[in-house]
Amino acid sequence: QVQLVESGGGLVRPGGSLRLSCTAPGSILSFNRMGWYRQAPGKERELVATITFGGSINYADFVKGRFTISRDTLTNTVFLQMYSLKPEDTAVYYCNAVRYNPYVDYWGKGTPVTVSS
């Protein structure tokens, strides 16, 4: 079982910034894709951003231009830099890692982000 560990969440004022980190126990290049999802209270989990093994990046429309996903293969960490945070960004943010063959999906326990004045 792969244990993904998220950190960096917290309380921030609207317009503020946070950087989330997700650390894997081994090489993040062993995964076909890693990414961030979020789940707000009473809502379904939704994709925020993903990065593939080859470095291709995908963002949800609602974060384009405000969030940046990146990775550090030396520390086996994937980051989500979040700028211009809005109250509607309040959610628990989850790290995800996927292997395709066979298909296996791993999740962290989540880190909460609250955007409030």
Side-chain angles (χ1 to χ4, degrees):
Q1 183 69 15
V2 171
Q3 299 280 351
L4 302 173
V5 180
E6 303 104 331
S7 62
L11 173 64
V12 63
R13 294 185 184 277
S17 302
L18 280 176
R19 188 176 79 157
L20 307 182
S21 300
C22 170
T23 302
S27 173
I28 57 174
L29 296 180
S30 71
F31 302 105
N32 294 98
R33 188 183 74 232
M34 293 190 71
W36 291 92
Y37 290 70
R38 71 185 189 186
Q39 187 166 17
K43 296 189 176 181
E44 293 189 353
R45 193 172 296 189
E46 61 184 356
L47 180 148
V48 176
T50 59
I51 183 167
T52 68
F53 171 87
S56 296
I57 289 173
N58 180 51
Y59 293 105
D61 286 343
F62 56 78
V63 302
K64 283 182 180 176
R66 298 190 300 124
F67 293 7
T68 302
I69 189 170
S70 63
R71 65 187 179 188
D72 182 342
T73 56
L74 293 179
T75 60
N76 296 315
T77 304
V78 175
F79 302 99
L80 185 69
Q81 178 68 56
M82 305 186 292
Y83 298 103
S84 302
L85 283 161
K86 306 174 182 180
E88 51 264 43
D89 294 317
T90 295
V92 178
Y93 284 70
Y94 295 92
C95 182
N96 171 257
V98 175
R99 292 188 175 123
Y100 290 157
N101 190 19
Y103 186 89
V104 183
D105 203 13
Y106 302 99
W107 293 92
K109 293 182 178 180
T111 185
V113 172
T114 302
V115 184
S116 175
S117 55

